[in-house]
Amino acid sequence: MMRMALAVAAGGVVGTLIRFGVGNWVNANWPRYFYGATLAVNLLGCLLIGYLYMTFLERPDIPLEIRAGLVVGVLGALTTFSTFSLDTLRLLESGQIGVALGYLVLSVGGGLLAAWLGVSLARL
């Protein structure tokens, strides 16, 4: 368990630094498009989680610590949108279209509502 926690922590450092670097680069080069950093890391994270998911399915010999370090650590710190996207895709692929659409609407709509509520509470 300790090796797993260390792998996730190390991956988290890498993912956080990538996100920080992308954010600084976008803000330095295109400050008007501040949201570009979030879009970039979300798309990159989605690409990587799809690739890693299939790689790990085809290569069960890859140690669990490496899998967790990359997916939970690196991608978890880089973006959780990648996990959300993969979960939705897996629901769609398994034929659970209603659950997938509900998950999509609740995640995006609920996330926006929760952010608005947080902003509103802070303004009180």
Side-chain angles (χ1 to χ4, degrees):
M1 187 63 167
M2 182 57 79
R3 288 175 50 154
M4 182 78 72
L6 290 173
V8 170
V13 168
V14 172
T16 300
L17 291 174
I18 293 170
R19 184 178 187 108
F20 178 74
V22 169
N24 281 339
W25 187 81
V26 167
N27 287 331
N29 291 285
W30 301 300
R32 182 174 178 196
Y33 303 104
F34 64 91
Y35 52 86
T38 302
L39 178 62
V41 297
N42 283 340
L43 294 177
L44 176 62
C46 290
L47 173 73
L48 291 174
I49 203 168
Y51 181 83
L52 291 173
Y53 175 69
M54 289 309 298
T55 298
F56 295 155
L57 283 178
E58 294 173 5
R59 295 276 318 274
D61 58 309
I62 296 174
L64 193 53
E65 292 86 1
I66 292 175
R67 295 171 186 232
L70 290 171
V71 174
V72 178
V74 175
L75 296 181
L78 181 65
T79 173
T80 57
F81 188 76
S82 58
T83 305
F84 160 74
S85 297
L86 181 61
D87 289 347
T88 305
L89 179 63
R90 291 179 68 196
L91 286 168
L92 289 169
E93 286 183 337
S94 69
Q96 299 180 66
I97 295 169
V99 175
L101 292 176
Y103 180 54
L104 179 72
V105 169
L106 285 172
S107 294
V108 175
L112 288 170
L113 182 61
W116 171 81
L117 183 59
V119 168
S120 297
L121 288 172
R123 289 181 174 159
L124 290 179

